[in-house]
Amino acid sequence: MLHLASQSPRRRELLARLGVGFGIIDVEVPEQRAPGEPPGDYVRRVAREKAGAGLLEVVGVPDAVVLGADTEVVLDDEVFGKPRDAADAAAMLRRLSGRTHMVISAVSLVSAAREAQAVCISRVSFAPLDERDIAAYVASGEPMGRAGAYAIQGGAERFVQRLEGSFSGVMGLPLHETANLLHGFGIATGFAGAAGTTGGVRD
């Protein structure tokens, strides 16, 4: 059975779009970039660690497969994590204003017998943002808990002048790459109406 090792409701929503049944495992993995660690290596490592932590939670479950993912915003080799507070969110948005940044999204799939990983890199160009735009968006609360202080599927979509890559990857789970990984593990995907989440949230 497939399990999603994530506390993100957005990843749950995206995975459900692939029409696969899955359980949920909430994992706590430190998201701390090591000194000198390249952004891409950092994102891949965290995704792998989330999947590995999830697999430990389902030891003994026959045919268990665990999916872990991580998505980060990168500008000038700096990884923009989740903002600490409203001031931090505003500062991130000022940095992204009028610039093109990368969004790196890694997906790891592990079982007791094997593991595989895929990485999706997208480029997002923001229009210049004035202070009123930034203040109003931060006041909405949407930037909190989101890498780079924005949600492309929400109010920040109007900031995006150009997107090269995967919309779902920027949201947090690149569906094309994820579907290919699942197929490699013999897990068929379909349409969202065909299946969905099963089971409850695990501690």
Side-chain angles (χ1 to χ4, degrees):
M1 178 181 174
L2 177 65
H3 300 266
L4 174 63
S6 178
Q7 300 181 41
S8 167
R10 292 170 295 283
R11 289 202 178 100
R12 298 174 190 183
E13 172 197 337
L14 287 164
L15 186 57
R17 292 182 190 179
L18 292 180
V20 295
F22 60 92
I24 301 295
I25 307 169
D26 278 348
V27 296
E28 289 285 350
V29 171
E31 297 186 28
Q32 185 68 44
R33 184 183 176 193
E37 186 176 26
D41 291 354
Y42 166 66
V43 176
R44 287 190 289 269
R45 174 175 61 80
V46 172
R48 220 169 18 245
E49 289 177 355
K50 288 178 180 178
L55 190 62
L56 290 176
E57 295 289 327
V58 292
V59 168
V61 176
D63 303 320
V65 177
V66 179
L67 188 156
D70 188 52
T71 299
E72 300 292 349
V73 169
V74 180
L75 179 69
D76 298 333
D77 199 48
E78 181 180 345
V79 174
F80 285 35
K82 301 175 180 68
R84 296 182 301 274
D85 51 30
D88 193 33
M92 288 185 185
L93 291 167
R94 290 187 193 102
R95 292 275 307 278
L96 298 176
S97 173
R99 300 281 306 279
T100 296
H101 61 270
M102 285 195 310
V103 178
I104 305 174
S105 193
V107 184
S108 284
L109 212 58
V110 300
S111 69
R114 60 179 296 202
E115 68 173 274
Q117 188 176 72
V119 177
C120 172
I121 299 178
S122 301
R123 288 173 174 78
V124 182
S125 300
F126 267 25
L129 309 178
D130 62 31
E131 286 298 316
R132 287 177 302 175
D133 291 330
I134 292 171
Y137 186 56
V138 171
S140 75
E142 191 175 87
M144 307 313 297
R146 291 174 163 87
Y150 76 91
I152 195 170
Q153 75 278 15
E157 188 170 9
R158 70 184 186 275
F159 301 155
V160 178
Q161 286 185 322
R162 182 178 177 84
L163 167 65
E164 299 177 36
S166 168
F167 187 87
S168 59
V170 178
M171 278 184 68
L173 188 71
L175 294 185
H176 174 73
E177 289 80 0
T178 300
N180 285 342
L181 285 177
L182 292 172
H183 292 164
F185 276 68
I187 300 174
T189 58
F191 295 99
T197 58
T198 60
V201 174
R202 294 172 58 108
D203 293 328

